[in-house]
Amino acid sequence: MKRIVTLCGAGVGTSGILKVNAERVLARLGIDAMVTATDVNNVQADAADAQVILTSPELVKHIGRTFADVVEINSYVDLDEIERKLDEALG
Amino acid sequence: MPLPPLPDSALNLGASARDWKQAVMLAGKALELSGAVTADYAKRMVQVVEEFGAYIVIAPGLALAHARPGPDVHAEGLSVVTLTEPVLFGHPYNDPVSVVIGLAVQSSEEHVAGVAALANVFNNPSTIGELAAATTPESVRSILGIAHEVSS
């Protein structure tokens, strides 16, 4: 199963919204994947075996080195944007 | 669990803020007035932005101000601040901000259901504009799908 991590600064709130919406989009795309919400302090551990990190353009510089695709989401509530970018990253 | 209650004290509609910091402080003040947090929480919400940038601006015009759970959180809480004049947070795509939602949770687990409910509301593209234009507490609660709890 593919693994996706949603990242925010504090680990509550925004990464949760992105997680919920990513799960909706994955269901729409028919992709089986596990989505985990995390924060900047835990992203290295949580994203160690993830294919994709979804996050804000503002947080990319906090991720550090990773093998995952880092996908910037501008609007966390725009399902079409999330779908387009996830489809591209996973497809 | 649905969204937390949204008493009138948690709303500040048509507010003025000179910058993003004051806008976040207003969202914290509204959380404080509703009884969810102490004054320290607003400062911690500001620190999140100072540390990590304007990522809390999750959609055009909308900031979701929040901090980690802590001893300054008495209860799960939500506040809504609408700004007459939008302010800049420094986000590359979603500035300027006219609606600031304040969110306080006591545990990381607790927030998941409430956040899912928030996501539902804001997935409707017209929600942010409707909130920005709302002039009464009833209309804000109606837009967010929150029933009014009559406090004793």
Side-chain angles (χ1 to χ4, degrees), chain A residues 7-21 24 37 39-42 55-59 61-62 72-79 81-82 85, chain B residues 48 51-60 62 64 66-69 89-94 103 105 107-108 111-112 115-120 122-124 128:
Chain A
L7 169 67
C8 79
V12 293
T14 57
S15 60
I17 290 199
L18 196 49
K19 171 179 152 74
V20 166
N21 283 336
R24 284 187 183 137
D39 61 19
V40 166
N41 290 340
N42 296 298
T55 193
S56 161
E58 289 284 287
L59 290 177
K61 59 179 175 288
H62 293 284
E72 296 180 18
I73 302 294
N74 300 331
S75 173
Y76 283 26
V77 298
D78 183 344
L79 293 180
E81 178 190 353
I82 299 171
K85 291 180 173 175
Chain B
V48 166
E51 187 171 1
F52 299 115
Y55 81 94
I56 68 164
V57 186
I58 59 168
L62 173 69
L64 180 64
H66 63 290
R68 291 172 203 278
F89 273 65
H91 191 282
Y93 302 100
N94 297 337
L103 178 69
V105 295
S107 72
S108 302
H111 89 284
V112 173
V115 160
L118 265 187
N120 271 340
F122 285 104
N123 286 346
N124 179 343
I128 297 169

Side-chain angles (χ1 to χ4, degrees), chain A residues 12-87:
Chain A
V12 293
T14 57
S15 60
I17 290 199
L18 196 49
K19 171 179 152 74
V20 166
N21 283 336
E23 285 169 345
R24 284 187 183 137
V25 164
L26 289 164
R28 230 198 239 180
L29 291 168
I31 295 174
D32 192 21
M34 190 174 96
V35 185
T36 310
T38 189
D39 61 19
V40 166
N41 290 340
N42 296 298
V43 64
Q44 279 294 326
D46 284 340
D49 59 347
Q51 281 78 47
V52 176
I53 299 173
L54 294 179
T55 193
S56 161
E58 289 284 287
L59 290 177
V60 170
K61 59 179 175 288
H62 293 284
I63 295 172
R65 292 183 62 176
T66 177
F67 292 109
D69 267 349
V70 177
V71 176
E72 296 180 18
I73 302 294
N74 300 331
S75 173
Y76 283 26
V77 298
D78 183 344
L79 293 180
D80 293 335
E81 178 190 353
I82 299 171
E83 176 171 333
R84 193 175 66 248
K85 291 180 173 175
L86 258 187
D87 195 22

Side-chain angles (χ1 to χ4, degrees), chain B:
Chain B
M1 184 185 56
L3 285 170
L6 194 62
D8 290 3
S9 55
L11 300 174
N12 188 348
L13 306 181
S16 300
R18 63 181 172 272
D19 55 22
W20 70 263
K21 201 177 286 189
Q22 197 176 28
V24 170
M25 290 298 287
L26 288 174
K29 189 70 187 174
L31 281 170
E32 183 188 340
L33 290 173
S34 77
V37 303
T38 67
D40 287 342
Y41 188 74
K43 294 176 203 153
R44 291 207 295 123
M45 295 202 300
V46 169
Q47 283 165 8
V48 166
V49 180
E50 288 174 338
E51 187 171 1
F52 299 115
Y55 81 94
I56 68 164
V57 186
I58 59 168
L62 173 69
L64 180 64
H66 63 290
R68 291 172 203 278
D72 47 10
V73 179
H74 296 315
E76 194 189 18
L78 194 68
S79 69
V80 176
V81 174
T82 64
L83 301 169
T84 314
E85 294 290 331
V87 298
L88 299 174
F89 273 65
H91 191 282
Y93 302 100
N94 297 337
D95 271 338
V97 168
S98 52
V99 177
V100 183
I101 306 274
L103 178 69
V105 295
Q106 289 178 293
S107 72
S108 302
E109 294 73 35
E110 186 185 45
H111 89 284
V112 173
V115 160
L118 265 187
N120 271 340
V121 172
F122 285 104
N123 286 346
N124 179 343
S126 62
T127 296
I128 297 169
E130 286 173 14
L131 269 186
T135 54
T136 66
E138 288 71 27
S139 55
V140 170
R141 281 188 286 266
S142 163
I143 292 162
L144 293 176
I146 297 174
H148 186 31
E149 288 186 5
V150 180
S151 52
S152 53

